[in-house]
Amino acid sequence: MELLSCINCCHNPLRAGLVGYEFGFCTRHNMMLTSPSETTCGQLLRKDLLVSPARLAQGHHRTRFASGRVCVLTQPRNQALANALIQRPNGHPSDQVVEEVVAFGLYRHNSKIHSIAAVHRIPGAKADVAMSSLGRSYVHRCHERDRRWTAGLHILWWMLQRVSERPLLEPADLRGALGLALDRAQNIAIWTVLALRLYLITDIGSFAGQAHDDVGAFASLADQALGAVEPGDGSGLAAWLSSQKTAMTRTFPRKRYEELAAKLRA
């Protein structure tokens, strides 16, 4: 059931798998989630699925859960129970990541990129999870509005610069790792963070491919990577991504990025 919960939704950027916070924040409803494994809504954008299956799953999810409010996963019509699991962001536990995630939810659409840029500059695995999740939420929304992949131009560039870097992971970043050896939990957590980066890059590649742009070559990146490495093997995935860095740079060189960025500013 956790795959259908707010923990696995891009609109809650505070947790993915073993990495993140016990609580969550929904950037669509602007609500703190006190038990994100128990809640969901019809806007669920699954972190574990690429763009086409994620949108298909979202359509199915909307037939059972309301899109305009947070719902209890097991009792979708029980609004009183749902209200007990959410609260307005006021006096909540906070750090830089949480503050920027809340700001992203509150900002108007054309200002949300500033929160993503801020999260990009924060070190650590929690920030990494938040950036990937916010990035996917943002580029999906932009593409729905105007069908242009270049709304994610800067996000793509930032993500490509770090795609193979091992995330900075502290023991306190891990959640729900009981029963796992610490080194195994850390390896799974690293794989999760790297896979989320890949999914964001691949989604942008899919949107670019629809526009017949060369960046569309990234649309197959996640499938290639996850087909080459066992699930949960963070060290193996980092090594594979390092081996592909030159090819990625050829697909999207700095000169092309700067040319497109200049057009966006014009």
Side-chain angles (χ1 to χ4, degrees):
M1 292 290 283
E2 190 167 285
L3 293 179
L4 302 179
S5 76
C6 295
I7 281 182
N8 193 41
C9 180
C10 292
H11 303 311
N12 169 30
L14 296 183
R15 175 82 175 271
L18 299 179
V19 184
Y21 302 77
E22 293 287 358
F23 61 91
F25 179 76
C26 176
T27 60
R28 298 300 299 145
H29 301 301
N30 293 324
M31 287 287 184
M32 302 303 299
L33 307 168
T34 61
S35 186
S37 64
E38 297 182 52
T39 54
T40 191
C41 84
Q43 298 188 58
L44 178 76
L45 182 62
R46 286 176 55 169
K47 292 184 175 94
D48 65 316
L49 297 177
L50 294 170
V51 56
S52 294
R55 288 188 171 176
L56 182 62
Q58 185 181 67
H60 290 312
H61 207 62
R62 280 177 175 157
T63 65
R64 184 180 177 195
F65 298 97
S67 294
R69 61 179 177 84
V70 177
C71 303
V72 178
L73 189 58
T74 55
Q75 300 181 51
R77 296 186 180 182
N78 192 332
Q79 186 59 50
L81 183 54
N83 289 342
L85 299 176
I86 59 177
Q87 63 183 62
R88 293 288 178 188
N90 182 22
H92 53 274
S94 189
D95 59 16
Q96 284 182 293
V97 176
V98 176
E99 287 175 4
E100 290 303 337
V101 164
V102 172
F104 178 93
L106 297 176
Y107 281 157
R108 295 176 62 86
H109 179 75
N110 58 0
S111 298
K112 292 182 184 296
I113 189 66
H114 300 306
S115 284
I116 299 176
V119 172
H120 165 63
R121 293 190 290 270
I122 301 172
K126 289 178 180 177
D128 222 315
V129 165
M131 182 182 171
S132 296
S133 302
L134 291 175
R136 291 190 74 192
S137 175
Y138 180 80
V139 298
H140 276 245
R141 194 80 172 162
C142 290
H143 194 257
E144 287 171 0
R145 286 170 178 246
D146 60 22
R147 320 308 292 179
R148 292 171 55 206
W149 75 268
T150 50
L153 177 69
H154 300 305
I155 297 170
L156 174 63
W157 182 255
W158 296 332
M159 196 56 69
L160 286 171
Q161 302 316 295
R162 66 166 65 173
V163 65
S164 62
E165 293 177 7
R166 293 171 67 95
L168 298 173
L169 186 68
E170 301 292 338
D173 294 337
L174 298 178
R175 297 288 181 271
L178 291 176
L180 287 174
L182 182 57
D183 57 348
R184 175 60 178 155
Q186 289 178 324
N187 205 29
I188 292 172
I190 290 167
W191 181 90
T192 298
V193 173
L194 296 177
L196 287 177
R197 295 176 187 170
L198 276 173
Y199 274 46
L200 173 54
I201 293 169
T202 298
D203 278 3
I204 295 173
S206 296
F207 296 143
Q210 293 175 28
H212 307 292
D213 191 280
D214 290 347
V215 171
F218 289 132
S220 62
L221 186 62
D223 285 340
Q224 292 175 35
L226 301 182
V229 178
E230 289 293 321
D233 183 2
S235 297
L237 186 53
W240 187 90
L241 288 168
S242 293
S243 74
Q244 301 299 308
K245 280 284 288 183
T246 301
M248 293 183 206
T249 300
R250 284 199 299 266
T251 298
F252 193 51
R254 175 177 288 277
K255 182 178 180 181
R256 178 94 201 285
Y257 165 64
E258 292 175 347
E259 289 172 350
L260 290 172
K263 289 179 181 179
L264 289 179
R265 290 193 299 268

